[in-house]
Amino acid sequence: MEVYNKNRDKNQSLSDEIREQNAKLKNASLKDKLLYFKDYYLLTAIAVIVICAFVFSFAYTILTAPRDTAFGAFFFNDTGDSSNTELVDRFVDYMGIDTSKQNAYIDSSMSYSENGVEFDSYIDLEKAMASITANDVDVIVGDADTIDYFTKCDCLGNITDILPEDLLQTYQDRLYYAETGSGESIPVGIDVSDAPKLNEYYYYVDKEPVFSFIINSDKTENAIAFLRYIYMEDSQSSF
């Protein structure tokens, strides 16, 4: 039985052919109907399913994602495992952050080089600038070159305007100074080479990391809490 004819008469209208094919399919066997579907509709059906799945997945991600960021940090040029989330997970538990409502992250995959920026580094800088503009990151930790770069871009805050008095006293001998875009030298960071929790996860082995605050962060209290946290021993940071 012929169910369809791909090479229809050019003079035959499309509507006439549709009626003809429907008439033939009405009494066709299941096998012939499946063949017809395969040749005419299978690819279209697959495309529709894929598009619907994408739309559903995207909508679900948007609707269920946390509405804002409770804490965000970029670790530049570190030596740790970028897939390890234990430090931020423990900080989230310590702070009691509800991750169903707020996001918290440490991105330790970031890189920067002052001598000829490679493509990956360029992408990381673009990502950092976008996150700073979107007020989605609060802390940058990195080597001196990285901190100098972001200071020149006027992205980092003056430590003396941010830290409470007790921390200023604690870290007064470890302040890091850098030049802003206007040429002014200000304290924008803290040498955190001896931070127990950074060392626990091998984030900056044989390096001198500087901890700095993003100038437009509206979650400075959480950023300060993270600075305190990385200096806590496990007995201090447990409930």
Side-chain angles (χ1 to χ4, degrees):
M1 171 185 172
E2 181 184 352
V3 176
Y4 57 90
N5 178 10
K6 290 183 180 179
N7 301 311
R8 68 178 185 272
D9 188 334
K10 294 181 180 180
N11 294 322
Q12 184 181 26
S13 70
L14 180 59
S15 59
D16 289 339
E17 183 179 353
I18 292 174
R19 282 195 294 270
E20 181 182 337
Q21 298 302 332
N22 287 338
K24 291 179 179 179
L25 282 172
K26 185 176 181 180
N27 298 316
S29 66
L30 178 60
K31 179 180 179 181
D32 288 333
K33 290 180 179 179
L34 290 175
L35 285 173
Y36 182 85
F37 176 81
K38 173 178 174 293
D39 284 347
Y40 276 90
Y41 298 113
L42 181 59
L43 292 179
T44 301
I46 292 174
V48 170
I49 291 172
V50 170
I51 292 172
C52 288
F54 173 79
V55 171
F56 176 80
S57 176
F58 181 76
Y60 179 81
T61 300
I62 294 297
L63 292 173
T64 60
R67 295 303 181 186
D68 56 34
T69 300
F71 173 76
F74 286 150
F75 284 11
F76 276 84
N77 299 339
D78 68 284
T79 57
D81 180 0
S82 61
S83 65
N84 188 337
T85 64
E86 189 171 352
L87 176 58
V88 71
D89 291 342
R90 289 169 62 182
F91 178 63
V92 164
D93 289 342
Y94 168 75
M95 293 290 290
I97 296 171
D98 184 351
T99 54
S100 67
K101 297 178 180 178
Q102 292 183 299
N103 184 31
Y105 70 89
I106 296 173
D107 189 337
S108 58
S109 67
M110 311 292 280
S111 63
Y112 170 75
S113 173
E114 66 170 349
N115 299 319
V117 178
E118 297 179 356
F119 180 74
D120 288 346
S121 295
Y122 176 78
I123 295 298
D124 289 341
L125 290 178
E126 289 291 308
K127 176 180 178 180
M129 289 303 184
S131 296
I132 291 170
T133 301
N135 201 18
D136 195 50
V137 61
D138 309 292
V139 166
I140 285 181
V141 181
D143 53 19
D145 290 341
T146 300
I147 301 305
D148 288 349
Y149 173 83
F150 283 103
T151 305
K152 282 185 172 65
C153 295
D154 296 322
C155 295
L156 305 180
N158 188 321
I159 289 293
T160 61
D161 295 332
I162 296 172
L163 291 184
E165 188 60 34
D166 66 312
L167 290 184
L168 273 177
Q169 291 296 323
T170 299
Y171 300 120
Q172 61 180 339
D173 296 329
R174 284 181 265 175
L175 298 184
Y176 180 82
Y177 286 74
E179 285 191 4
T180 65
S182 61
E184 180 185 5
S185 181
I186 63 172
V188 293
I190 302 163
D191 181 346
V192 288
S193 304
D194 59 344
K197 285 185 168 55
L198 293 185
N199 293 326
E200 180 181 350
Y201 296 103
Y202 308 101
Y203 274 119
Y204 288 94
V205 177
D206 297 326
K207 292 191 175 187
E208 297 181 352
V210 177
F211 187 109
S212 58
F213 297 87
I214 299 300
I215 195 168
N216 67 335
S217 170
D218 60 358
K219 300 172 291 294
T220 304
E221 289 186 3
N222 288 348
I224 292 172
F226 182 71
L227 174 61
R228 293 184 187 274
Y229 181 76
I230 61 176
Y231 273 94
M232 289 181 180
E233 302 296 341
D234 284 341
S235 58
Q236 294 176 289
S237 58
S238 59
F239 290 106

